Amino acid sequence: MKHFLSIAALTPDELHHLLTLATQLKNEWRRGGNKPVLKGKSLALVFQKPSLRTRVSFEMGMVHLGGYALYLSPNEIKMGGRESVPDVARVLSGYVDGIMARVFAHEHILQLAEHGSVPVINGLSDYSHPAQALADLFTILEFKKDLAGLKIAYIGDGNNVARSLLFGAMKVGMHFTIATPTGYNLTDEDIKLARQFSVGGAVVERIEDPETAVTNADVIYTDVWTSMGQEAETEKRLKVFPPYQINQDLVNLANPDCIVMHCLPAHRGEEITDEVADGRHSVLFPQAENRMHAQKAILVELLADK
Ligand code: CP
Ligand code: NVA
C-alpha cells in the first residue's frame, strides 16, 4: 500500500489486514500505550474544510505512535488558490513523511499523490471518506464480532460517506441497502463498481423507502443531509429529507440488536433524533473514537520503517 486514497483501491486482503492491525493497536494502546514505531516521522494535515474527528484523531494517532503531526488550516496554505495543488505536494514532500488532506475536489487528492513523493491519505473529499469507512468497519467488527453476511441500511444522502461505506461493505461481504429521496442516491457507476467489489455474495440495493431498507438490518447508518460545500442547497434538502430521519419508530423495524451509526457531526433533530443518538442502539461515540485506532493502522502501514 503506497497511499490511502480510497477503499476502492484496497484489495480485500489489505482491508482485512488494516482491520487486524487496528485491533492490535487499540489493544496495545489500552494496555498502556503504543510502541513509538513512528518516532521521527511527520505528517502534514492539510484541511480545506473544518474538522473535529479527522484532525484530532490523526494528530493524536501520530503522537501516540511517537511521531509528529502538523495541522495546516484552510486559511494557512490556501491549496489550489495561493499555490497549485501539485506545487503544494512537491513542497510538502521535502518537509514531511506523509500528507493527510481533506479537500473539496477529489481530483486534488489524486494530484497530491501524483505530484508528491510521500504517502497521501484521503481525509475526506466530495467523492469519498475512506478513513471513516475503515473506522466504521472496525466498529461494526467490534460490536458484531464478524462482518460477512451482515446487513447495513444506509438512510439519507447518497454522499461521500455512503459511497466509501458501500465499497468497504462489498469487500468484506456485507449486504448494503441505501434508501434516499429521488435524485439523491448513489450513481449507476457507484453501483456498478460496488458489484465488482462484492465478496461472498454481498448484495447492494438502491431504493427509496427507508422502512424497507431497515427491515432486518444489523446496522443502520446515517449522515448529514447537507454536506460541507453544499450549504447553498440546505433549504431545498430540508424539504425532501425529513422522511429519512432515523427515529425510534424506524429503528424498531430493524433487528432487535441492531447498532445505529453516524460519522458525525450530527444535526440532531434532522437526520437523527436525540432519542436514537443517545439510545441503547447507538454506537456513535465508540465509532468516533475508533477513527483514531483505525487510522493508526493506516499510519503504521504507510509510514513505519519496514
Ligand atoms: N466524521 C468526520 O470526518 O468528522 P470531522 O468532519 O469532524 O473530521
Ligand atoms: N458527508 C459529510 C461528512 C462529514 C464528516 C460531509 O462531507 O460534510
Side-chain angles (χ1 to χ4, degrees):
M1 199 170 91
K2 195 163 167 242
H3 301 285
F4 184 82
L5 306 180
S6 64
I7 297 290
L10 295 175
T11 65
D13 279 352
E14 284 172 330
L15 188 49
H16 284 290
H17 172 68
L18 286 171
L19 293 170
T20 305
L21 189 54
T23 306
Q24 288 165 0
L25 289 162
K26 182 168 179 178
N27 290 338
E28 181 182 81
W29 179 73
R30 289 211 155 151
R31 284 195 305 266
N34 293 121
K35 295 196 188 82
V37 291
L38 297 187
K39 189 166 186 294
K41 304 287 181 183
S42 55
L43 181 73
L45 306 173
V46 177
F47 283 88
Q48 289 186 326
K49 298 172 177 175
S51 169
L52 168 61
R53 281 142 292 269
T54 304
R55 188 258 164 107
V56 181
S57 58
F58 269 109
E59 186 160 339
M60 293 318 295
M62 282 301 285
V63 169
H64 292 172
L65 292 162
Y68 184 82
L70 178 68
Y71 172 66
L72 296 159
S73 75
N75 271 334
E76 218 131 0
I77 55 180
K78 297 193 194 295
M79 189 169 69
R82 181 169 183 262
E83 197 157 5
S84 78
V85 178
D87 279 358
V88 170
R90 292 175 186 119
V91 171
L92 281 176
S93 295
Y95 299 141
V96 295
D97 300 294
I99 302 169
M100 194 285 326
R102 165 167 288 192
V103 301
F104 286 95
H106 187 68
E107 178 61 24
H108 288 168
I109 290 284
L110 302 179
Q111 286 179 5
L112 285 171
E114 186 188 340
H115 298 281
S117 56
V118 297
V120 172
I121 299 169
N122 178 357
L124 181 147
S125 70
D126 286 0
Y127 178 70
S128 63
H129 197 1
Q132 179 71 53
L134 181 70
D136 295 340
L137 296 178
F138 179 56
T139 304
I140 298 169
L141 186 60
E142 273 192 340
F143 281 89
K144 294 289 179 189
K145 309 298 173 212
D146 204 355
L147 296 173
L150 292 180
K151 187 181 167 206
I152 304 189
Y154 184 102
I155 311 296
D157 187 24
N159 61 16
N160 45 6
V161 168
R163 184 173 293 110
S164 292
L165 189 64
L166 164 62
F167 293 165
M170 292 296 111
K171 290 191 180 213
V172 299
M174 285 195 298
H175 305 298
F176 190 97
T177 304
I178 174 165
T180 76
T182 317
Y184 292 93
N185 219 316
L186 291 170
T187 65
D188 291 347
E189 178 66 17
D190 295 326
I191 302 300
K192 200 172 133 203
L193 261 179
R195 291 197 169 124
Q196 289 168 15
F197 299 149
S198 168
V199 166
V203 172
V204 53
E205 278 186 288
R206 192 174 41 162
I207 61 175
E208 289 189 9
D209 180 32
E211 297 191 357
T212 306
V214 299
T215 302
N216 298 324
D218 302 295
V219 179
I220 300 178
Y221 200 113
T222 193
D223 183 14
V224 290
W225 294 335
T226 304
S227 285
M228 292 180 277
Q230 299 175 329
E231 288 78 5
E233 296 177 28
T234 307
E235 220 173 300
K236 185 174 113 194
R237 286 169 173 265
L238 276 174
K239 288 200 182 97
V240 290
F241 277 98
Y244 293 81
Q245 182 187 66
I246 310 295
N247 52 39
Q248 198 56 50
D249 288 344
L250 197 68
V251 173
N252 289 344
L253 300 173
N255 281 344
D257 61 351
C258 75
I259 56 172
V260 174
M261 304 181 75
H262 190 314
C263 59
L264 302 179
H267 288 175
R268 287 166 174 256
E270 292 182 15
E271 75 275 2
I272 193 164
T273 59
D274 283 332
E275 187 183 12
V276 172
D278 302 324
R280 69 183 184 88
H281 297 278
S282 168
V283 300
L284 268 51
F285 299 103
Q287 179 187 1
E289 180 187 317
N290 278 339
R291 289 291 302 281
M292 181 176 75
H293 304 299
Q295 288 159 196
K296 281 180 185 174
I298 302 170
L299 294 169
V300 168
E301 201 53 29
L302 292 179
L303 302 182
D305 293 326
K306 295 282 179 316

